[in-house]
Amino acid sequence: MNRFVEIGVALFAWLCAFVLLAAVGTVFVFLLIKGGAALNVQTIFGDTPVWEAITLKKPCSTVFFRRSPARCSWL
Amino acid sequence: MIKRFGFWMEKGFLAAALWSMFLTILIFAFMLVLGLPLFKEGRLLSLLTSPWVPGEGQFGIYPMIISTTAISFLSLCLGAPLALGVSIFICLIQPGRLGRWLKKVVVLMTAVPTVVYAFVGVFLLVPLVQSVFSAGSGMNILTACFVLALLIAPTMILIFSNSFNNVPLAHQYAADALGASSAQKLFYVILPASWRGIVAGLILGAGRAMGDTLVALMLAGNAVAVPGSIFDSARTLTAHIALVTAADFDSVEFRTIFACGILLYLMTLIMVLAVRFLSSLKKEADL
């Protein structure tokens, strides 16, 4: 078989592996750069203390963990 | 005691299988019953052939059928060579540590939710396509296909590499003994022996591209017109279902989503049957 085909197959395989890794890497790096800085306790629980928010003792609104104690009175 | 346990386990698995079968039939029947008024009115043909113009009383899903087919086909055209190349890399070029490491990345990719890919596509790929191709808003078939190709690639890579690994070692050793290079081994031994696995991977990849909702919904632009080029916006059947469900209830427009559902169901069924037919061919060949 032609030597060029040998090199072509190997090159194609390396290129595909590189493209895949580059695409996946871009996705993760983008998420880390954009999301990593924004993800902190304040984003999730706001100014409410974490333990009191989780146990629904104090409400926390306009954040990810949006819960009101009145809705979960069984606790 | 063990015999009795085995008996009940067998019954339990049978019940689980029957239950899942019953649920699948129930979903199909549900779509059929709710879409029945539409079919009774004799709208079936116009539904499949006319455009979507609710203002003029036309509720055809023809543009969505064309868009779904175009997007699935194009993403398969982009994803299949990538998957084949990566599979060759994993199984033939670098089967050692690097190949195993890459396979782990591929497995990780299958676990990433589609919305993450679509979300990143909106912020990274849309502006890129918009500026490079000067393509309107950048939300078009090409953008959706790039992301869908990345989405379906892991499924295909895993199936391709499994079928490459299932090629009898005796055949590979024989090729090695004859002094075959890796490319010769690929073209004369591995690809001919694993073509059924490759076709199965392609069919499953196409099925996944066809059934994905969020990527098409967020990146394809959702225009209800038959696309003329890859730079046109398009709405797939799945995106249409999602959009109409969110906006409407109990009207002719709403009933069309059941027709979309039935159509998607039938398309997926055909793909699954094709895969099963291919695996039965493989079993016969093994015998």
Side-chain angles (χ1 to χ4, degrees):
Chain A
M1 188 175 274
N2 199 328
R3 179 94 184 119
F4 287 112
V5 179
E6 297 282 336
I7 297 168
V9 168
L11 210 65
F12 172 67
W14 273 98
L15 186 74
C16 287
F18 176 75
V19 167
L20 189 85
L21 283 177
V24 176
T26 308
V27 170
F28 282 105
V29 168
F30 175 80
L31 287 175
L32 277 177
I33 290 172
K34 288 278 180 184
L39 197 63
N40 51 38
V41 178
Q42 259 74 41
T43 316
I44 300 169
F45 299 108
D47 294 329
T48 312
V50 177
W51 181 245
E52 292 189 356
I54 290 172
T55 52
L56 305 184
K57 283 180 181 160
K58 278 189 179 175
C60 44
S61 54
T62 67
V63 282
F64 283 176
F65 194 85
R66 194 175 170 183
R67 288 282 184 277
S68 105
R71 286 175 65 192
C72 292
S73 54
W74 52 271
L75 268 176
Chain B
M1 177 73 183
I2 291 170
K3 204 174 173 183
R4 204 170 166 182
F5 180 71
F7 172 78
W8 284 111
M9 284 297 281
E10 200 177 297
K11 294 288 171 205
F13 287 134
L14 181 70
L18 286 175
W19 178 243
S20 64
M21 197 173 79
F22 171 71
L23 282 181
T24 313
I25 294 168
L26 196 71
I27 290 167
F28 188 71
F30 172 78
M31 285 190 297
L32 212 60
V33 167
L34 287 175
L36 211 58
L38 203 69
F39 303 135
K40 271 186 183 169
E41 290 164 20
R43 287 177 183 263
L44 185 63
L45 195 67
S46 70
L47 199 75
L48 296 175
T49 53
S50 61
W52 176 266
V53 194
E56 293 174 14
Q58 286 185 308
F59 305 102
I61 53 171
Y62 176 68
M64 286 63 123
I65 297 171
I66 298 293
S67 303
T68 305
T69 314
I71 287 180
S72 315
F73 179 72
L74 196 64
S75 37
L76 197 66
C77 288
L78 292 171
L82 181 76
L84 195 65
V86 175
S87 309
I88 293 169
F89 184 86
I90 290 172
C91 298
L92 212 70
I93 306 291
Q94 291 286 328
R97 187 186 280 184
L98 194 61
R100 283 200 301 273
W101 183 78
L102 186 61
K103 198 165 180 178
K104 279 178 189 165
V105 173
V106 171
V107 172
L108 179 79
M109 279 176 75
T110 57
V112 177
T114 54
V115 68
V116 173
Y117 288 115
F119 168 72
V120 175
V122 167
F123 288 99
L124 285 181
L125 205 60
V126 168
L128 195 74
V129 170
Q130 192 182 18
S131 60
V132 172
F133 299 103
S134 311
S137 67
M139 290 186 176
N140 51 41
I141 291 180
L142 187 70
T143 315
C145 286
F146 276 136
V147 178
L148 270 177
L150 190 67
L151 188 82
I152 63 173
T155 311
M156 290 194 287
I157 292 167
L158 292 176
I159 294 170
F160 289 174
S161 52
N162 278 348
S163 64
F164 286 0
N165 287 333
N166 284 340
V167 174
L169 278 175
H171 295 192
Q172 298 190 42
Y173 289 153
D176 288 337
L178 288 168
S181 63
S182 54
Q184 283 172 324
K185 211 159 88 172
L186 176 74
F187 288 120
Y188 296 120
V189 179
I190 293 175
L191 287 181
S194 55
W195 71 269
R196 288 183 193 89
I198 294 171
V199 176
L202 290 176
I203 292 170
L204 284 176
R208 189 141 190 236
M210 201 176 277
D212 189 79
T213 310
L214 274 169
V215 172
L217 186 72
M218 290 169 79
L219 295 169
N222 298 311
V224 275
V226 178
S229 82
I230 53 170
F231 300 114
D232 284 351
S233 293
R235 185 189 285 191
T236 59
L237 286 167
T238 47
H240 182 68
I241 291 174
L243 288 167
V244 174
T245 311
D248 207 344
F249 182 71
D250 205 22
S251 61
V252 185
E253 290 100 308
F254 186 75
R255 298 235 178 258
T256 60
I257 66 169
F258 297 105
C260 293
I262 292 168
L263 209 63
L264 274 170
Y265 200 100
L266 291 176
M267 283 172 167
T268 317
L269 186 75
I270 290 166
M271 297 215 165
V272 171
L273 287 177
V275 172
R276 294 199 69 154
F277 175 70
L278 281 169
S279 21
S280 70
L281 276 182
K282 195 177 180 180
K283 274 177 197 160
E284 279 172 22
D286 290 345
L287 289 171

